[in-house]
Amino acid sequence: MRIRIVDAFTDRPFAGNPAGVLILDGDAFPADDWMQRVAAEVNLSETAFLHRVDAADADWALRWFTPEVEVALCGHATLGTAHVLHRTRLVEAGAPVRFRTKSGILTAEVDGDGLITLDFPTAPLSPQDADPALVAALGIAATTCHWTGPSTDDLLFEVADEKTVRGLVPDLGAVARLTRRGVIVTARADDPAAGYDFVSRFFGPAVGVDEDPVTGSAHTALTPYWCERLGRDELTGYQASSRGGLVRVVQRGDRVQLSGHAVTTIDGELLV
């Protein structure tokens, strides 16, 4: 089987968020422990596995694994998967891709310039009292805390400014003990003229991802959060990891559109 490494939410190699993409033979997933071992071998924040389905509502079944666990939703690996399907012409040019996943039916569309737009469910944000131990582990003074719902199971913290987000050096061991999937820390952009409206970082040591470079699924929560505060339904987020990446977002009621480019950096063969 062919396995690709795709940098997502970027238009240049060695930026954005790399994901493994493995298109499976047949019409069923192999054993979970085999997929988990492959994801551990690839050792990226996510590896996507997919196979064809013959269904009225979907063309492909899709699952995602970190090096340690399966997750219910992943944005950058879905974007990378759509990129691979279009580049290999397994999907007709201009045709949407429909994925059956643990988070329902997700779609991806690719325009003529290679911009990929994902249609994902909006995260149901619930205000929470911030855990003082987690706040201390992050090294922040949080202004708000929200839970992002069962699909992503993250905690979203807003802090005072972009400088705080960029300067975070959390105690990852403590964060792993105090979270289930991960933590999003965000702030309004200091200068919207820079080309983005808000910044974020994502830490998921509890699932084997110390810091994720660009987290599409986190933007299902960041989109409604910032659209409400900024009074607009179309924004651009910048995830301020060392690799960095831009995510264009649109709020459409209970759905969120996430857009970005992708670049294949490795195309190889899985021998086992």
Side-chain angles (χ1 to χ4, degrees), residues 141-145 156-160 184-188 225-226 229:
T143 61
T144 63
C145 177
L156 170 63
F157 291 95
E158 182 186 351
V159 295
I184 309 159
V185 182
T186 187
R188 187 179 302 204
Y225 187 85
W226 284 113
R229 279 153 182 75

Side-chain angles (χ1 to χ4, degrees), residues 101-190:
T101 77
K102 290 191 173 184
S103 292
I105 301 299
L106 309 177
T107 63
E109 297 190 26
V110 184
D111 71 13
D113 294 326
L115 182 70
I116 303 165
T117 298
L118 308 176
D119 183 271
F120 274 26
T122 299
L125 295 174
S126 302
Q128 301 279 304
D129 292 330
D131 182 343
L134 181 55
V135 169
L138 292 167
I140 62 173
T143 61
T144 63
C145 177
H146 290 77
W147 182 54
T148 65
S151 289
T152 52
D153 200 14
D154 300 323
L155 291 173
L156 170 63
F157 291 95
E158 182 186 351
V159 295
D161 52 34
E162 181 176 335
K163 180 180 178 180
T164 300
V165 174
R166 289 180 178 271
L168 287 175
V169 185
D171 179 345
L172 294 172
V175 172
R177 293 191 297 272
L178 296 166
T179 56
R180 289 183 289 269
R181 190 182 87 145
V183 177
I184 309 159
V185 182
T186 187
R188 187 179 302 204
D190 288 346

Side-chain angles (χ1 to χ4, degrees), residues 179-263:
T179 56
R180 289 183 289 269
R181 190 182 87 145
V183 177
I184 309 159
V185 182
T186 187
R188 187 179 302 204
D190 288 346
D191 179 13
Y196 51 89
D197 302 288
F198 61 88
V199 297
S200 66
R201 288 173 69 188
F202 180 92
F203 304 98
V207 295
V209 182
D210 286 349
E211 180 170 3
D212 198 32
V214 191
T215 314
S217 59
H219 285 75
T220 66
L222 289 162
T223 301
Y225 187 85
W226 284 113
C227 283
E228 179 180 354
R229 279 153 182 75
L230 299 179
R232 292 157 52 200
D233 58 11
E234 296 188 23
L235 302 170
T236 299
Y238 179 70
Q239 194 153 330
S241 65
S242 60
R243 293 172 65 101
L246 291 169
V247 184
R248 304 177 194 178
V249 302
V250 180
Q251 181 69 53
R252 292 285 185 263
D254 63 353
R255 308 293 294 185
V256 171
Q257 293 178 346
L258 312 173
S259 299
H261 290 86
V263 179

Side-chain angles (χ1 to χ4, degrees), residues 22-45:
L22 184 62
I23 302 173
L24 300 161
D25 298 328
D27 58 1
F29 287 107
D32 288 5
D33 64 341
W34 182 86
M35 290 189 287
Q36 189 63 74
R37 289 197 299 271
V38 171
E41 186 79 4
V42 174
N43 200 31
L44 297 173
S45 60

Side-chain angles (χ1 to χ4, degrees), residues 50 57-60 62 78 81-83 85-86 90-92 94-100 105-110 116-119:
L50 68 156
D57 60 351
D59 312 296
W60 300 87
L62 176 63
T78 305
T81 298
H83 169 80
L85 290 174
H86 276 271
L90 291 172
V91 174
E92 293 182 10
V97 188
R98 303 175 301 167
F99 299 108
R100 178 184 294 162
I105 301 299
L106 309 177
T107 63
E109 297 190 26
V110 184
I116 303 165
T117 298
L118 308 176
D119 183 271

